[in-house]
Amino acid sequence: MQPEVEIIHREDGQFDAYVGIGNGTRRYAREGLASVADCLQDAAAALGAEFRFATVIVDRMRIGSYPVAVMEHRALEVADELLTKLSNRRQPA
C-alpha cells in the first residue's frame, strides 16, 4: 500500500501537509508550513523508512509518485517539479 501526501496552498500563503495511508484517512497533519518543500520534508520525515514511495497530491491534483528519501533530501527540486507540473495541468491546451 502506497501512502499519499496531500499539500494544500492556503489563502494566507501558507501550506498544509497531510499524509494518508490506504483508504484516504489522514494519519498525519501539519498546518501552516512556509513552502511546498517544507511540506515534502515534513511528510517524508513522518513516513520514515517504512515506505519507499508516496503519491503526491497538490491542491487536489494527483501529480505523481516520488521516492520518500528524495522528497526529504531533495525537497526543493521536487517542489519545483511539482509546481511546474501543476502549472502545466492548469493551463488550457
Side-chain angles (χ1 to χ4, degrees):
M1 197 175 322
Q2 184 165 300
E4 292 183 337
V5 174
E6 183 176 2
I7 300 170
I8 298 172
H9 190 202
R10 300 182 345 189
E11 288 183 18
D12 65 2
Q14 294 188 326
F15 297 85
D16 297 336
Y18 304 97
V19 176
I21 300 170
N23 64 2
T25 302
R26 292 176 174 166
R27 309 240 182 218
Y28 176 83
R30 183 89 187 268
E31 298 177 342
L33 295 167
S35 68
V36 171
D38 288 346
C39 291
L40 292 169
Q41 284 181 319
D42 190 69
L47 289 167
E50 185 176 342
F51 298 96
R52 292 186 59 198
F53 291 89
T55 299
V56 179
I57 302 163
V58 180
D59 291 337
R60 296 186 177 89
M61 291 189 139
R62 188 174 305 277
I63 304 295
S65 181
Y66 291 85
V68 172
V70 173
M71 288 170 40
E72 184 172 17
H73 299 292
R74 296 175 61 194
L76 288 174
E77 293 170 32
V78 175
D80 286 343
E81 181 178 324
L82 289 171
L83 294 174
T84 298
K85 287 182 176 183
L86 182 65
S87 176
N88 290 340
R89 289 185 184 184
R90 287 184 173 165
Q91 293 178 1

